[in-house]
Amino acid sequence: MRSKMMGCRVEHQSTHGSVLGGKPNHCVIYPPKSSIVAEELERRNNDWLNSPSSSSSSSSSGTYRFVRTKVASDLMVQVGDFSFHLHKLAMVSKSGYLNRLVFAKRSEGHGHNGGSLKIVLDDLPGGTNTFESIVNFCYGFKVDVTATSIAPLYCAANFLEMSDDLHQGNLISKTEAFLSFAIFSSWKDTFKVLKSCESVSPWSKDLLIVKQCSDAIAWKASTDPKAFTLGQNSNGNLNVGESSDTWWFQDVSTLRIDHFIQVIESIKRKGVKPELVGSCIAHWTTKWFSGTTFVFDDPTIPKHLTQKLQRITIESLINMLPAEKNSVSCNFLLYLVKLGLKIQVNSELLSKLETRIASMLEQCCAQDLLVKNYGDKDTTYDVGIVIRVVKAYVLLALKNSRARLCIVGRLIDGYLTLIARDINLTLIDFKLLVDALPINARSCDNNLYRAIDMYLKAHPSLMEEERASVCKAMEYHRLSEDARQHAMKNGRLPLKIITEFMLLEQVKMARSISASKSNINPRTTTQVIMKMNNKKYLEKGFIAPQKEIMLIRKEVENMKMQLNQLQMCKLKLQKQVQRSCIK
């Protein structure tokens, strides 16, 4: 496709591949006629200076660019370390900014005796390469422009005030035409323009280039991707991943944080689903943070500034999260908490994030709470952030019904079973998580018992007192019959807990026997009372020896047999009564 825009010829080539691949749209800008006829732009002494062909080389260090003309140079423009020997007439006729500087210099008495004026442009957007294109334009040479170079050239043209008020068909209007074309014609070129804006901030922001690119990306992200030019693979299919809704994630995740923020704001205004926006933010974060390390690593930036950039980045990500319920996964929010704690973000912001996660716990599963650690001596998963969130939940859930509390209780017990085998999990963290919930948050301790048993098995070196402290939250009456039987035979549990469970089992069986209204052996009743007294001694710190444990187990088995016999007798009597009634 070829089109002409105010002296700018655009050659559009088909694009293939990712944002960074393929040939960009290409524009050739044909400037108006120059008042100075130049043969060519020449480089000498490894520096940039512009002077007539008869000029001698400058003795100063740097790169020089010379313009071959029949008129001697009367203007030297320095851009960074590079110098250009030029002509006032060619440059000031198209640049209002240079015109004012030259007038001011002459008013101060510079350049009156045939000497050249010197102007320093340290803040020129785009630097030397961009200024070389401007020099070519001012001297009547054609200028090749691509999607990568158009934004710096447009910013520099505005910096130098190269408007049509000075010269019809000046550089601002010509670059603006191709800039709009590049932004809206091709998805790939939109990102090339936006990436090139990184080197010319804040000019690109003030001139609304970043906003135009962000709006274009948002429009295309909310539109059928087949409606415009996209990167394609060798088969001609869209190179967009598995989901047609998330095809734009990969390209958007290449943007740095300030441009990413603006794109997300534009996407929100376009009405894209909050769930997609949340997923895109998570995708960007995963790409830019490797574990808990910021991928952005520039050795030229001092360490304290890099840390500040990380903190600003995380705070910006938290602030831009969609407010809608279930728009962001609990696992990603926990990951943000982890990053926030490491980088020490604003405490109030972190507290709001923890409260948001706490409000989601009742809809979560145990796997949602698994956030990896990356240190060799750390636990596999970060337990500390889960403890913080559970404590935040308890503060919120003081008025919640017991049923809702039990949902979170089951969640945490399930999470405990997933992390219990970790040999780096400390006793303190395990207990903190077990005890974080109120007593009424558990209606059944089966999962808690399972987690405790797994933890004790993975940590065999724990002392008797430490094992007893782990088991303190587990209660006999909240275990199923199978779990109780397993616990009473579990050698990993402390003797005190095993003995207590056996005594409670005897009491339970004694009550069952009494309830059946059967004759109870006085000796058995006496033994139950004796065992109950033994429990009091245990509570005072006396531990039953192993032999007594075995005797209690035998006694429990005998009582079970007696109970079974009574049940059989009861059934026989019921059958006899039924038969006599029939007769």
Side-chain angles (χ1 to χ4, degrees):
M1 179 184 75
R2 291 177 180 265
S3 63
K4 286 190 176 181
M5 299 175 293
M6 299 179 65
C8 175
R9 187 179 69 194
V10 179
E11 299 176 357
H12 178 61
Q13 301 170 350
S14 61
T15 56
H16 298 276
S18 67
V19 167
L20 301 180
K23 295 182 179 180
N25 286 331
H26 176 253
C27 172
V28 180
I29 295 177
Y30 291 94
K33 291 182 179 180
S34 174
S35 54
I36 297 289
V37 178
E39 296 176 9
E40 65 177 338
L41 186 63
E42 180 184 355
R43 181 174 185 173
R44 295 183 188 175
N45 293 345
N46 211 29
D47 263 321
W48 297 91
L49 274 172
N50 290 308
S51 69
S53 58
S54 60
S55 300
S56 61
S57 300
S58 173
S59 60
S60 62
S61 63
T63 302
Y64 301 92
R65 283 293 186 181
F66 299 85
V67 175
R68 286 184 176 274
T69 66
K70 296 179 181 180
V71 181
S73 167
D74 58 359
L75 175 66
M76 186 178 77
V77 179
Q78 184 173 336
V79 181
D81 294 331
F82 302 93
S83 298
F84 293 79
H85 283 280
L86 307 169
H87 301 83
K88 287 182 286 189
L89 183 59
M91 300 304 294
V92 302
S93 63
K94 295 184 178 67
S95 169
Y97 182 70
L98 290 178
N99 193 358
R100 287 201 311 277
L101 289 182
V102 168
F103 181 79
K105 289 279 186 180
R106 295 184 66 177
S107 300
E108 294 171 1
H110 298 286
H112 280 305
N113 299 322
S116 65
L117 291 175
K118 181 179 179 181
I119 294 175
V120 180
L121 298 177
D122 286 333
D123 300 326
L124 180 74
T128 306
N129 291 335
T130 300
F131 190 69
E132 184 184 1
S133 297
I134 290 172
V135 170
N136 281 327
F137 179 84
C138 291
Y139 279 89
F141 296 112
K142 68 178 183 179
V143 180
D144 291 332
V145 185
T146 66
T148 303
S149 62
I150 185 61
L153 186 59
Y154 178 67
C155 291
N158 279 274
F159 178 89
L160 295 173
E161 300 172 13
M162 302 177 71
S163 66
D164 285 0
D165 294 337
L166 286 175
H167 203 292
Q168 189 64 32
N170 212 343
L171 191 56
I172 289 179
S173 59
K174 294 199 172 188
T175 51
E176 186 174 29
F178 178 65
L179 180 63
S180 298
F181 175 81
I183 289 174
F184 289 100
S185 66
S186 165
W187 172 263
K188 174 182 67 66
D189 284 346
T190 305
F191 281 89
K192 282 185 174 291
V193 172
L194 190 51
K195 290 292 286 184
S196 70
C197 289
E198 295 177 4
S199 63
V200 288
S201 296
W203 277 91
S204 58
K205 184 177 180 180
D206 294 340
L207 293 172
L208 303 180
I209 304 175
V210 174
K211 185 179 186 304
Q212 289 180 55
C213 291
S214 300
D215 289 344
I217 292 170
W219 173 74
K220 293 169 184 176
S222 61
T223 309
D224 185 352
K226 297 177 182 178
F228 51 88
T229 304
L230 265 177
Q232 297 176 335
N233 58 28
S234 58
N235 298 322
N237 298 320
L238 290 175
N239 188 18
V240 296
E242 296 181 359
S243 173
S244 59
D245 290 333
T246 62
W247 61 266
W248 46 278
F249 282 15
Q250 186 61 34
D251 291 333
V252 171
S253 68
T254 63
L255 302 175
R256 74 182 192 186
I257 184 62
D258 55 337
H259 294 166
F260 179 68
I261 291 171
Q262 192 135 2
V263 168
I264 290 297
E265 289 175 350
S266 297
I267 286 174
K268 286 180 178 179
R269 288 195 295 270
K270 281 293 180 181
V272 174
K273 294 178 182 178
E275 295 81 1
L276 279 177
V277 176
S279 297
C280 182
I281 294 172
H283 187 89
W284 186 96
T285 307
T286 304
K287 187 178 180 71
W288 283 80
F289 285 87
S290 177
T292 55
T293 305
F294 196 30
V295 175
F296 178 81
D297 186 15
D298 189 342
T300 63
I301 299 179
K303 185 176 181 181
H304 71 280
L305 291 179
T306 302
Q307 292 173 342
K308 184 177 181 180
L309 175 60
Q310 292 184 42
R311 185 169 62 254
I312 292 172
T313 298
I314 295 300
E315 290 178 351
S316 299
L317 290 171
I318 294 173
N319 282 322
M320 77 167 80
L321 290 171
E324 289 80 0
K325 189 176 181 181
N326 298 325
S327 58
V328 188
S329 71
C330 177
N331 187 262
F332 174 61
L333 293 178
L334 283 169
Y335 180 57
L336 284 181
V337 171
K338 181 179 181 64
L339 291 176
L341 288 170
K342 181 181 178 181
I343 301 171
Q344 298 179 337
V345 301
N346 180 275
S347 58
E348 184 178 348
L349 197 63
L350 199 61
S351 178
K352 288 181 179 178
L353 186 59
E354 290 171 352
T355 302
R356 178 171 181 172
I357 302 170
S359 67
M360 299 169 62
L361 286 181
E362 293 173 17
Q363 290 80 42
C364 291
C365 63
Q367 285 76 12
D368 293 334
L369 306 183
L370 297 176
V371 177
K372 273 200 168 186
N373 275 326
Y374 295 91
D376 295 335
K377 296 183 180 180
D378 292 331
T379 53
T380 304
Y381 300 103
D382 194 328
V383 180
I385 57 174
V386 178
I387 294 172
R388 291 175 65 98
V389 169
V390 173
K391 288 181 177 179
Y393 173 80
V394 172
L395 293 176
L396 289 175
L398 293 176
K399 297 180 180 180
N400 285 0
S401 64
R402 187 167 185 268
R404 292 176 62 185
L405 283 172
C406 287
I407 291 174
V408 178
R410 287 192 295 271
L411 171 70
I412 299 306
D413 289 348
Y415 174 73
L416 285 168
T417 63
L418 296 177
I419 64 171
R421 290 193 180 95
D422 193 332
I423 58 174
N424 291 326
L425 180 58
T426 65
L427 177 66
I428 294 174
D429 282 346
F430 188 85
K431 284 187 60 184
L432 280 174
L433 195 52
V434 170
D435 298 335
L437 291 169
I439 297 175
N440 62 338
R442 292 184 175 94
S443 58
C444 178
D445 280 353
N446 280 11
N447 279 340
L448 177 61
Y449 168 59
R450 184 182 170 209
I452 289 172
D453 186 37
M454 293 164 66
Y455 183 78
L456 295 177
K457 186 176 181 180
H459 301 79
S461 60
L462 290 176
M463 303 294 290
E464 180 80 7
E465 293 178 359
E466 291 174 325
R467 287 187 288 151
S469 66
V470 171
C471 300
K472 190 178 295 184
M474 183 174 61
E475 295 191 17
Y476 169 86
H477 69 275
R478 292 204 299 248
L479 292 173
S480 65
E481 184 63 31
D482 290 341
R484 291 171 189 163
Q485 295 303 318
H486 186 277
M488 287 186 288
K489 299 175 183 178
N490 190 345
R492 288 185 288 272
L493 296 181
L495 292 176
K496 179 178 179 180
I497 297 297
I498 295 174
T499 305
E500 181 178 333
F501 277 24
M502 286 183 172
L503 290 171
L504 290 171
E505 184 73 10
Q506 287 183 344
V507 171
K508 177 190 170 188
M509 296 181 73
R511 287 175 178 171
S512 297
I513 293 171
S514 299
S516 65
K517 296 182 180 181
S518 301
N519 294 327
I520 303 176
N521 190 325
R523 180 176 173 275
T524 304
T525 307
T526 303
Q527 286 179 339
V528 171
I529 295 170
M530 288 174 63
K531 300 304 179 185
M532 291 295 290
N533 289 333
N534 284 341
K535 182 185 175 185
K536 294 179 181 179
Y537 287 108
L538 289 171
E539 290 174 349
K540 293 179 180 179
F542 296 99
I543 304 300
Q546 192 66 31
K547 288 184 179 179
E548 186 168 348
I549 297 288
M550 297 302 296
L551 290 173
I552 293 173
R553 283 179 178 169
K554 289 181 181 179
E555 185 66 32
V556 170
E557 294 298 327
N558 291 334
M559 293 183 70
K560 282 184 179 179
M561 290 176 61
Q562 292 180 24
L563 184 60
N564 288 335
Q565 290 174 359
L566 288 170
Q567 291 292 341
M568 294 296 294
C569 292
K570 182 179 179 181
L571 289 173
K572 289 181 180 179
L573 287 171
Q574 286 177 343
K575 288 181 180 179
Q576 290 177 2
V577 171
Q578 289 175 355
R579 288 173 185 171
S580 48
C581 289
I582 292 171
K583 293 178 180 180

